[in-house]
């Protein structure tokens, strides 16, 4: 600090005034860009997050009955054992399950050969909407356009 003070006193009077003016101009900019602007941005983002969360909470409270109704419907589809539900829902979509293998207590691995890709997507969507989780899926193309072979791990 002493070196800076000595260096400042060695400057000419014009240079000292210019340096003082520069410091006088830079300090408010420093305060604004380093302290005030980031603080205001943080405040704005926090306020926006609060409003979004509040809006989501309001929507959830308004649609609570719809969510509960959907949950009841999902539980009814899960009354059947997982392997039976998978087989019966595949039959309704005209999909042939080539192989079905239990995976642990709550999972089933299925193989589907020569199935239309759009039918496969509809079938997996129905399983997902029924409360089941598709943990993994492998899809391979065949020689026919739009037809695939698939292997899926479904958890109940």
């Amino acid at each position: 600090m002493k070196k800076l003070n000595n260096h400042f006193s060695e400057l000419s009077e014009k240079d000292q005034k210019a340096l003082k003016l520069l410091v006088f101009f830079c300090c408010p900019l420093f305060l604004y860009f380093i302290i005030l602007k980031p603080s205001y941005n943080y405040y704005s983002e926090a306020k926006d997050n609060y409003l979004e969360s509040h809006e989501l909470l309001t929507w959830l409270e308004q649609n609570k009955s719809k969510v509960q109704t959907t949950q009841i419907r999902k539980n009814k589809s899960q009354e059947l054992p997982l392997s039976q539900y998978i087989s019966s829902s595949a039959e309704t979509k005209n999909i042939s399950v080539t192989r079905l293998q239990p995976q642990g207590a709550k999972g089933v691995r299925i193989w589907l050969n020569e199935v239309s890709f759009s039918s496969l997507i509809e079938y997996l969507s129905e399983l997902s909407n029924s409360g089941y989780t598709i943990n993994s899926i492998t899809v391979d193309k065949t020689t026919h356009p739009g037809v695939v072979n698939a292997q899926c791990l479904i958890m109940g």
Side-chain angles (χ1 to χ4, degrees):
M1 189 68 169
K2 197 173 189 179
K3 281 185 175 183
L4 286 175
N5 200 11
N6 287 340
H7 186 66
F8 180 74
S9 60
E10 289 176 3
L11 294 174
S12 68
E13 193 174 313
K14 285 183 180 182
D15 289 343
Q16 285 180 2
K17 284 184 180 180
L19 189 57
K20 286 178 185 178
L21 186 62
L22 182 64
V23 168
F24 182 74
F25 178 73
C26 288
C27 281
L29 289 176
F30 176 79
L31 285 173
Y32 177 75
F33 285 109
I34 302 298
I35 297 173
L36 295 176
K37 188 168 172 74
S39 297
Y40 180 74
N41 288 344
Y42 176 78
Y43 166 76
S44 296
E45 288 176 16
K47 185 178 179 182
D48 290 343
N49 286 341
Y50 168 76
L51 291 174
E52 287 175 14
S53 298
H54 184 71
E55 185 177 310
L56 177 61
L57 177 64
T58 305
W59 183 86
L60 285 173
E61 288 173 351
Q62 289 173 349
N63 294 304
K64 187 177 183 180
S65 63
K66 291 179 187 176
V67 172
Q68 288 174 339
T69 304
T70 305
Q71 191 64 33
I72 290 168
R73 195 177 327 128
K74 285 182 182 178
N75 289 338
K76 286 184 181 177
S77 68
Q78 292 177 352
E79 289 174 0
L80 288 175
L82 177 59
S83 58
Q84 286 181 350
Y85 182 77
I86 287 174
S87 296
S88 64
S89 62
E91 286 176 15
T92 61
K93 296 282 184 191
N94 292 325
I95 294 176
S96 167
V97 176
T98 307
R99 184 174 167 199
L100 192 135
Q101 177 181 344
Q103 292 285 134
K106 295 184 178 182
V108 171
R109 184 172 300 278
I110 60 171
W111 284 261
L112 308 165
N113 289 336
E114 302 286 325
V115 62
S116 162
F117 183 74
S118 58
S119 297
L120 174 67
I121 297 300
E122 287 178 25
Y123 174 62
L124 294 176
S125 177
E126 179 183 317
L127 288 175
S128 181
N129 289 339
S130 297
Y132 298 107
T133 304
I134 290 85
N135 274 12
S136 68
I137 182 169
T138 304
V139 178
D140 298 316
K141 68 179 182 177
T142 62
T143 56
H144 307 293
V147 177
V148 296
N149 295 329
Q151 177 183 352
C152 308
L153 175 59
I154 302 164
M155 303 301 283

